[in-house]
Amino acid sequence: MSSSSKDVKLAVPGSRPSAYSYFNPKWPTFLTAVAAAFALYIVSGWRKGLVTQLPQSYALCASRGKGTIYTVDESNPQVECLLVQGDKIMDAGDKDKVRESWAALSLVHAPGDEASLAVLEVPKGHIVVPGLADPHAHILEYGFKMQLQLDGARSLQDIIDILESYVLAHPDVLNDTSKWIEGMGWDQNLWKDWRGGFPMAKDLDTPLLQGRPISIARVDVHATWVSERVLDIMGGLPERVDGGEIIRDREGDPTGVFVDNAMSLIPSPPRSDAVMLEYFDRAMQDGLSVGLTSIHDAGNDARVVRFYEHLAEQGRLPMRLYIMGMLENAQLKMQRRENFGKEGRLNVRGIKMFMDGALGSWGAALIEPYSDKPDTSGLLRIDPQEMRRDVKNAWEQGWQVNIHCIGDRANKIALDIFEEVLRDAQGNASVRRPRIEHAQIMQSSDLERTGKLGVIASVQPTHATSDMWYAESRLGPERIKGAYAYQTLLRNSPEGVLPLGSDFPVESINPLLGFYAAVSRLDRSGRSPHGENGWFAKERLTRAQALKGMTLDAAYASFAEHDIGSLAPGKKADFVVLNKDIMSVPVHEILTTRVAATVIDGRIAFGGL
């Protein structure tokens, strides 16, 4: 058979060739190879536009020296081509293997049909990786933070300037002093010439801000700073709050900062559905642009879960969501959902619980007092007996249990409870997959016990590089050795699993920053307290470990490893095209890597090729 115009098809939008060519499975192998190679040569030489809509079936191929496909499939780690049909990966291998698979599929599905396969080329220098996941994040809080960001502040005056600029830029707020001003991101540890401790309500009393209700969350969302007007609205306050703290001055008067459970006293106005949708859309847009195809949303009440369910039913989830619910008055007020909604992208299978607070606000529960604040050992947000009861109840009802633990005391209590539950239920941890969220500071014995029990440690590498400038002063030279111990946790894991997330909006939504932090233990300037080799360099991860942590390990932590997380036949066609090879470039170049395309269910969700 000759290569007629019917056999070799070059799609031409206007006068420009597209980025894909076609080959026909019934051509002789030699002619097929020549025609496909010739078409790819023409495309690579003349390619000008981007493909933003993909055909139903196609091969994604990387030519030698022009790109690499990293599969995170242990049996087939790097391939030349992926064969995609609909929303699934049908095969992975070299061009000949994919061509043979397509021929077999065509004979089965369309015998006698002259079906041709589109071949899409990975651009020169680009790579393909599985869809990136964030196994610990806060979707709506990200949208909330983006409307008034405070994390760029490096002084109290910076905070004042940002707030005043916000007021002046919003006439409705400027002209109505009763409107609440809410934001997130301040961190007093970063302020120059700061007096120490927490800021106060009176620090917000400038002529423009005075008399306005202002409520701004700390970067870790474990402390909230309010204005004098909010204190007036709140009126009388309790002397103490279980699992929280009202910061007071020497006379016993509240200063304007509320820590952990005490934050619930602040009468912030509820969010409307319209506002939640605005926040959600912003998070999805930004997430897709940095290669996220899956997010584990860590902690939502029943109302927010219903919000996600409605979006799923309407087919309005642009990526896969694994939702962790929360107890309300010790009750579960939501249903478990598996592959729920029009496109099957919503799962509600986990329950998020809080054991303690955060290190930056001295709320992490420690066994011994803080080195830089010896009058406190942090906070337990719940009585251990109540936590034990709640964990057992959720476990008995079939939920995955995920406990927020920062301090070594919190981690020890959580592991004690998981050990009891697993023993009493004669359970296998790999079936229910209990998780500790953060697993940040542990005794060496508990680092080992986490692995023995099979408890998943869900960690955030950028927490290490954000905290490293003050963490040792908080914890001291001995206790810090058991903190942010990612390589140790991975080595101890019986399944070889260490999900890597960001906790956005506490940290950046960009997963490549987490990848960089995991493999370098450096900040974005290439610095660390221990020099250019990284902070506690022995706890660095390899690049292969880090990529697996934000793909297949994240999938495992959400019971989805058979469907997503690697580029293997039978799995969903979720993948990301990056403009640099993060697996081989100098480490600092990871920070300048950009997403060219994000593909979910075989369809482009962001960018193009």
Side-chain angles (χ1 to χ4, degrees):
M1 182 182 298
S2 64
S3 297
S4 67
S5 59
K6 176 182 177 181
D7 296 319
V8 180
K9 305 175 184 177
L10 290 178
V12 182
S15 61
R16 299 183 301 178
S18 77
Y20 55 83
S21 57
Y22 295 84
F23 61 74
N24 187 298
K26 295 189 178 181
W27 291 338
T29 301
F30 173 75
L31 289 177
T32 300
V34 170
F38 178 68
L40 284 175
Y41 170 78
I42 292 174
V43 168
S44 62
W46 292 92
R47 182 176 180 271
K48 296 180 181 179
L50 289 179
V51 173
T52 56
Q53 293 187 1
L54 299 175
Q56 177 71 7
S57 301
Y58 57 91
L60 179 70
C61 293
S63 301
R64 185 176 181 85
K66 290 188 177 180
T68 303
I69 299 174
Y70 294 93
T71 65
V72 193
D73 178 359
E74 190 175 29
S75 65
N76 201 17
Q78 289 181 232
V79 299
E80 187 179 9
C81 293
L82 299 176
L83 175 60
V84 177
Q85 186 173 48
D87 64 348
K88 295 285 183 64
I89 296 170
M90 305 308 294
D91 205 353
D94 60 25
K95 284 190 178 76
D96 288 340
K97 184 174 187 292
V98 165
R99 187 178 297 115
E100 290 169 5
S101 296
W102 175 246
L105 283 170
S106 293
L107 290 173
V108 171
H109 295 294
D113 183 22
E114 296 287 326
S116 296
L117 176 67
V119 180
L120 184 65
E121 181 186 348
V122 179
K124 183 179 180 180
H126 292 45
I127 67 166
V128 178
V129 298
L132 301 176
D134 195 319
H136 187 109
H138 305 277
I139 293 172
L140 298 185
E141 293 309 309
Y142 176 85
F144 165 73
K145 178 183 178 181
M146 297 307 288
Q147 51 89 38
L148 178 53
Q149 302 174 60
L150 300 170
D151 51 356
R154 292 298 178 266
S155 68
L156 174 61
Q157 187 59 49
D158 285 350
I159 295 288
I160 299 299
D161 291 344
I162 293 169
L163 291 173
E164 291 187 343
S165 294
Y166 176 84
V167 172
L168 293 172
H170 293 79
D172 58 327
V173 178
L174 177 63
N175 298 321
D176 185 353
T177 58
S178 69
K179 280 191 174 293
W180 281 68
I181 300 169
E182 297 180 283
M184 176 187 163
W186 58 272
D187 183 353
Q188 81 284 1
N189 294 309
L190 302 178
W191 295 352
K192 298 175 183 177
D193 303 320
W194 181 238
R195 62 180 178 249
F198 285 118
M200 300 181 179
K202 65 184 181 181
D203 293 324
L204 300 174
D205 277 351
T206 69
L208 183 58
L209 300 179
Q210 194 172 34
R212 298 179 184 273
I214 302 171
S215 175
I216 48 180
R218 194 181 181 278
V219 62
D220 54 22
V221 204
H222 284 271
T224 299
W225 171 21
V226 303
S227 63
E228 296 276 11
R229 178 63 185 131
V230 173
L231 291 177
D232 292 341
I233 294 170
M234 295 173 74
L237 295 171
E239 286 299 313
R240 61 184 302 274
V241 177
D242 290 338
E245 184 179 6
I246 302 170
I247 304 299
R248 300 177 184 273
D249 59 22
R250 293 179 179 179
E251 286 72 41
D253 296 324
T255 63
V257 171
F258 298 78
V259 180
D260 288 315
N261 290 356
M263 295 188 298
S264 64
L265 299 172
I266 301 169
S268 302
R271 291 172 183 165
S272 67
D273 287 350
V275 166
M276 288 198 295
L277 183 60
E278 177 188 338
Y279 291 168
F280 173 80
D281 286 344
R282 175 62 188 268
M284 293 297 98
Q285 171 188 321
D286 289 0
L288 290 169
S289 74
V290 293
L292 289 176
T293 62
S294 175
I295 294 174
H296 302 188
D297 198 356
N300 298 275
D301 62 23
R303 183 189 173 212
V304 175
V305 172
R306 287 193 295 272
F307 168 78
Y308 287 135
E309 289 173 343
H310 292 155
L311 291 178
E313 289 168 339
Q314 298 165 25
R316 295 182 63 185
L317 297 185
M319 67 174 70
R320 306 186 196 285
L321 300 185
Y322 183 79
I323 304 300
M324 303 178 206
M326 295 178 68
L327 298 177
E328 297 175 63
N329 298 320
Q331 299 295 314
L332 284 163
K333 298 183 179 180
M334 59 202 68
Q335 292 181 292
R336 288 199 307 279
R337 304 287 192 186
E338 294 187 30
N339 301 325
F340 180 80
K342 190 174 181 180
E343 297 177 298
R345 291 181 176 176
L346 180 67
N347 281 272
V348 185
R349 295 186 63 176
I351 295 296
K352 167 82 174 294
M353 302 180 186
F354 284 91
M355 196 75 245
D356 67 345
L359 186 68
S361 50
W362 295 279
L366 303 180
I367 294 171
E368 300 294 335
Y370 279 85
S371 297
D372 65 345
K373 196 175 182 183
D375 61 333
T376 183
S377 298
L379 295 167
L380 287 178
R381 295 187 62 174
I382 186 171
D383 180 89
Q385 287 303 115
E386 290 182 33
M387 176 65 83
R388 185 173 281 105
R389 176 204 66 200
D390 291 344
V391 169
K392 289 184 176 180
N393 287 343
W395 192 283
E396 289 169 0
Q397 295 180 54
W399 292 85
Q400 179 192 50
V401 177
N402 309 326
I403 307 179
H404 164 111
C405 299
I406 300 290
D408 53 6
R409 184 184 179 200
N411 278 288
K412 183 180 186 305
I413 292 170
L415 289 171
D416 289 344
I417 293 171
F418 281 141
E419 188 168 9
E420 283 182 32
V421 171
L422 287 164
R423 182 186 65 237
D424 294 347
Q426 298 182 338
N428 183 338
S430 65
V431 174
R432 198 60 62 80
R433 303 183 188 181
R435 295 166 50 165
I436 289 182
E437 303 299 319
H438 308 305
Q440 199 160 296
I441 305 154
M442 287 190 179
Q443 296 177 302
S444 59
S445 57
D446 283 337
L447 288 169
E448 183 178 350
R449 185 161 60 133
T450 301
K452 286 182 177 179
L453 293 175
V455 173
I456 296 171
S458 172
V459 302
Q460 299 74 42
T462 46
H463 281 351
T465 53
S466 291
D467 297 355
M468 63 185 175
W469 300 104
Y470 69 86
E472 187 166 347
S473 67
R474 286 275 196 282
L475 301 173
E478 290 303 314
R479 194 161 39 186
I480 193 67
K481 295 176 183 177
Y484 315 91
Y486 304 144
Q487 187 62 248
T488 299
L489 286 165
L490 178 57
R491 186 170 58 247
N492 290 343
S493 168
E495 304 288 343
V497 167
L498 187 72
L500 305 181
S502 70
D503 201 13
F504 76 69
V506 175
E507 304 284 356
S508 169
I509 196 173
N510 186 352
L512 294 182
L513 296 181
F515 182 90
Y516 167 81
V519 303
S520 72
R521 307 278 288 200
L522 299 168
D523 67 14
R524 297 189 202 187
S525 301
R527 301 177 304 127
S528 86
H530 294 167
E532 62 184 13
N533 286 328
W535 189 52
F536 292 101
K538 68 182 179 65
E539 296 296 347
R540 291 183 308 199
L541 301 179
T542 68
R543 299 193 196 203
Q545 289 171 339
L547 183 60
K548 181 171 176 282
M550 53 184 55
T551 54
L552 190 57
D553 290 356
Y556 179 87
S558 58
F559 307 93
E561 74 275 16
H562 298 299
D563 297 318
I564 58 176
S566 62
L567 301 177
K571 290 194 174 185
K572 293 286 189 179
D574 293 1
F575 57 86
V576 179
V577 181
L578 301 174
N579 72 345
K580 292 185 181 181
D581 187 347
I582 60 171
M583 307 303 285
S584 65
V585 296
V587 70
H588 68 273
E589 288 193 28
I590 296 169
L591 294 173
T592 58
T593 302
R594 297 291 178 264
V595 171
T598 301
V599 176
I600 301 176
D601 283 330
R603 305 191 301 272
I604 292 179
F606 169 82
L609 288 170

